[in-house]
Amino acid sequence: MGGGGVEDGTPGRRRDARRNRELLVAAAREVFAEWGLDAPWDVIARRAGVGNATLYRHFPTRAALVDAVFRDRLTGTMDAGERARAAGDAWQGLHTYLRAVFATLAADRGTNDLMTTRVEGVEALDAVHAHNRETMEVLLARGRAEGAVRGDVTVEDVLFGLAALGRAVPALTAVTGADAWQRPLALFLDSLRPPATPPSAPASPPPAAPGSQATSAPDLPGEALTAAQLGAVLEELGPHRAPKA
């Protein structure tokens, strides 16, 4: 079963090739979910029951295999984004969308790598990243207009925060539980809210009592990331490393 991947026109060989491709995609889906996208190819081939040569004949690059494995799953993320954009309330749409995304990040290390880093040459991934960015732009703009999102938050701020938090999700859920991501995501979402202000604050508010917290937040420090800088950060993060033996 280690060969038979070349389609030379013979019906039997074509059937073998299709079967081997299906076995490889199924095995890669399992291995990527467990190990992340850096999983060794010989592990994938061995689990599929074929030789490394067969794997390379069907998928000469890692990007080609990743695209075959995750294309349908990434389409589901885009569908969730469309539903979020159509929500009547921008904040509810944002909340529901990110919960759906993070549930996926927690369940599959391979998808986590795809959504929180940059992987070159995966056509489906390029499309989902662009769609995700558009979804965030739409929801943040509507949220600001509705007074639900602070005005100084940029799309890059949010995408960077989500990527950094998302990277920690596999380790967090492995140590604590499958739903452990809900608490940090709720805290992150809360940070996007406008600072609370009293309904009738005096012109010169009195000094805060020792130990108390201010009711409004200062402007965000530093410069916002550019789209190019965000891409460079995601590339530096890289895929999750394979688990220890």
Side-chain angles (χ1 to χ4, degrees), residues 10-33:
T10 304
R13 290 188 179 273
R14 288 201 300 270
R15 285 195 298 271
D16 287 344
R18 286 195 296 270
R19 183 179 67 250
N20 286 339
R21 181 182 176 87
E22 291 168 358
L23 289 170
L24 285 165
V25 170
R29 184 177 292 114
E30 293 178 357
V31 174
F32 285 152

Side-chain angles (χ1 to χ4, degrees), residues 197-216:
T197 55
S200 56
S204 299
S212 65
Q213 295 184 355
T215 57
S216 61

Side-chain angles (χ1 to χ4, degrees), residues 38-222:
D38 266 358
W41 277 43
D42 60 337
V43 173
I44 297 171
R46 187 164 59 248
R47 189 169 299 190
V50 303
N52 283 5
T54 299
L55 172 55
Y56 281 106
R57 280 199 297 272
H58 283 282
F59 302 104
T61 67
R62 187 173 293 265
L65 179 57
V66 168
D67 189 79
V69 169
F70 290 102
R71 180 175 291 273
D72 291 342
R73 186 162 299 182
L74 293 175
T75 300
T77 300
M78 295 169 68
D79 291 341
E82 288 295 326
R83 291 192 296 271
R85 297 186 200 187
D89 178 89
W91 183 259
Q92 186 58 45
L94 180 65
H95 183 272
T96 302
Y97 175 59
L98 292 183
R99 283 182 60 84
V101 169
F102 269 70
T104 301
L105 298 183
D108 186 323
R109 283 179 180 260
T111 302
N112 191 296
D113 281 343
L114 287 174
M115 296 296 291
T116 61
T117 65
R118 172 173 286 181
V119 181
E120 297 293 339
V122 182
E123 182 180 339
L125 178 61
D126 293 339
V128 79
H129 276 318
H131 192 274
N132 179 58
R133 181 185 179 85
E134 291 171 1
T135 297
M136 298 309 301
E137 288 175 340
V138 168
L139 294 176
L140 290 177
R142 286 181 52 200
R144 284 190 289 266
E146 295 171 7
V149 174
R150 58 186 298 163
D152 54 354
V153 172
T154 69
V155 174
E156 281 71 30
D157 287 331
V158 175
L159 294 178
F160 169 74
L162 293 173
L165 179 57
R167 293 297 289 166
V169 164
L172 177 65
T173 56
V175 171
T176 55
D179 295 331
W181 53 267
Q182 296 190 34
R183 181 181 177 90
L185 178 60
L187 290 170
F188 176 80
L189 283 167
D190 193 57
S191 73
L192 304 181
R193 290 286 202 178
T197 55
S200 56
S204 299
S212 65
Q213 295 184 355
T215 57
S216 61
D219 292 338
L220 293 171

